[in-house]
């Protein structure tokens, strides 16, 4: 019996030694670094197209420079603000370098900006009315992006399509009240500067608010002879302030990975 106990104790000691040896042979557990978090960063690069709408005000000042074909001493006919709404679209391209965003854009809007004032020079009282029918902008952009928020400034060329008319405020023997007795029109080019802030609210979609000021100069506009009026020329100064809300769709992937 004692022999069996000795053998049993030996077997147990051998088994314990083998287990300890096996554990010693196992490699030490190594530390595994947690996976790197990948941040999604919005990329403003790519072509985009969109719609815009809003309102505008055009400050118009008329100065009489000739009458019946003869030059006269420049005399102010007064000023007024032509106000109204506008709606249109835009198309452009942007490219992003780090947080800086550069772009070019063309914008066109139908407009209905009208206003009038009584002429300060008339021997027979009449009103001068102006109307802007369309506005176009061709601009470059520089902006700074905070992920999906973009602030930008823009500048370039502007064009407006304009019509002008003169009418009597009350009916008389010459013409009915409000019926133009003299009309003219022009398309003029000038410059523009503006700024806006844009927010991407869904993949490829963004909304922006924008303000632009247009410097449209002061060219001479000739009103031709009519049945009851001689020809005259006015130097018409025009500046436009416009604010729009814009909705854009950008072609291309909305995000890039940043480690």
């Amino acid at each position: 019996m004692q022999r069996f106990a000795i053998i049993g104790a030996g077997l147990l000691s051998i088994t314990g030694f083998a287990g300890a040896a096996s554990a010693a042979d196992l490699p030490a557990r190594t530390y595994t670094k947690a996976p790197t978090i990948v941040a999604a960063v919005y990329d403003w690069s790519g072509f985009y197209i969109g719609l815009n709408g809003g309102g505008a005000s055009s400050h118009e000042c008329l100065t009489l420079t000739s009458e019946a074909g003869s030059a006269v001493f420049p005399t102010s006919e007064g000023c007024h603000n032509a106000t109204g709404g506008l709606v249109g679209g835009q198309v452009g391209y942007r490219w992003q370098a780090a947080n800086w965003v550069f772009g070019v854009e063309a914008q066109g809007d139908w407009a209905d900006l009208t206003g009038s004032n009584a002429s300060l020079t008339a021997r027979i009282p009449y009103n001068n009315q102006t109307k802007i029918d369309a506005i176009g902008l061709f601009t470059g952009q520089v902006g700074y992006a905070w992920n999906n928020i973009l602030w930008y400034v823009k500048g370039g060329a502007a064009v407006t399509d304009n019509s002008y008319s003169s009418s009597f405020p009350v009916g008389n023997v010459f013409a009915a009240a409000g019926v133009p007795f003299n009309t003219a029109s022009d398309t003029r080019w000038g410059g523009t500067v503006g700024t806006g802030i844009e927010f991407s609210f869904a993949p490829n979609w963004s909304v922006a608010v924008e303000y632009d000021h247009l410097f449209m100069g002061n060219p001479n506009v000739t009103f031709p002879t009519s049945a009851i009026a001689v020809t005259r020329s006015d130097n018409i100064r025009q500046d436009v302030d416009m604010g729009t809300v814009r909705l854009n769709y950008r072609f291309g992937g909305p995000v890039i990975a940043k480690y």
Side-chain angles (χ1 to χ4, degrees):
M1 179 64 69
Q2 185 177 1
R3 180 182 301 175
F4 288 120
I6 294 173
I7 293 173
L11 290 175
L12 289 174
S13 63
I14 293 173
T15 302
F17 176 78
S22 299
D25 290 340
L26 291 175
R29 180 177 295 178
T30 58
Y31 172 74
T32 303
K33 185 179 179 181
T36 303
I37 298 176
V38 180
V41 178
Y42 195 88
D43 182 11
W44 290 91
S45 300
F47 288 97
Y48 64 90
I49 189 170
L51 301 173
N52 72 79
S57 176
S58 173
H59 190 62
E60 312 268 347
C61 290
L62 291 78
T63 302
L64 184 67
T65 58
S66 73
E67 197 169 22
S70 299
V72 299
F73 185 80
T75 306
S76 173
E77 290 206 65
C79 300
H80 63 263
N81 291 322
T83 59
L86 51 85
V87 62
Q90 64 274 346
V91 60
Y93 179 79
R94 288 174 175 147
W95 59 97
Q96 184 168 349
N99 292 89
W100 293 99
V101 180
F102 307 91
V104 291
E105 183 183 273
Q107 174 179 333
D109 288 271
W110 291 277
D112 185 21
L113 312 184
T114 58
S116 66
N117 69 277
S119 174
L120 303 178
T121 65
R123 292 176 292 274
I124 301 176
Y126 67 86
N127 294 335
N128 287 318
Q129 183 183 71
T130 66
K131 181 178 181 181
I132 296 179
D133 300 301
I135 297 174
L137 305 179
F138 306 90
T139 56
Q141 298 181 4
V142 178
Y144 191 86
W146 294 269
N147 200 11
N148 63 329
I149 299 175
L150 172 67
W151 171 72
Y152 60 89
V153 294
K154 61 191 293 187
V159 59
T160 58
D161 187 57
N162 312 283
S163 59
Y164 315 97
S165 63
S166 299
S167 61
F168 296 112
V170 294
N172 53 46
V173 297
F174 301 107
V179 176
F181 63 81
N182 227 349
T183 61
S185 63
D186 73 355
T187 298
R188 64 175 67 185
W189 287 85
T192 182
V193 294
T195 185
I197 188 164
E198 192 162 347
F199 170 71
S200 175
F201 61 91
N204 303 94
W205 289 96
S206 60
V207 64
V209 290
E210 183 177 299
Y211 164 78
D212 298 286
H213 182 80
L214 283 59
F215 307 87
M216 303 310 297
N218 54 344
N220 273 323
V221 176
T222 298
F223 292 78
T225 302
S226 69
I228 63 172
V230 297
T231 183
R232 83 178 200 271
S233 293
D234 275 275
N235 183 280
I236 303 179
R237 179 176 179 176
Q238 181 184 89
D239 292 282
V240 182
D241 294 286
M242 52 187 290
T244 54
V245 176
R246 300 150 58 91
L247 178 66
N248 287 328
Y249 178 82
R250 184 178 59 83
F251 298 91
V255 295
I256 58 175
K258 183 178 181 181
Y259 294 86

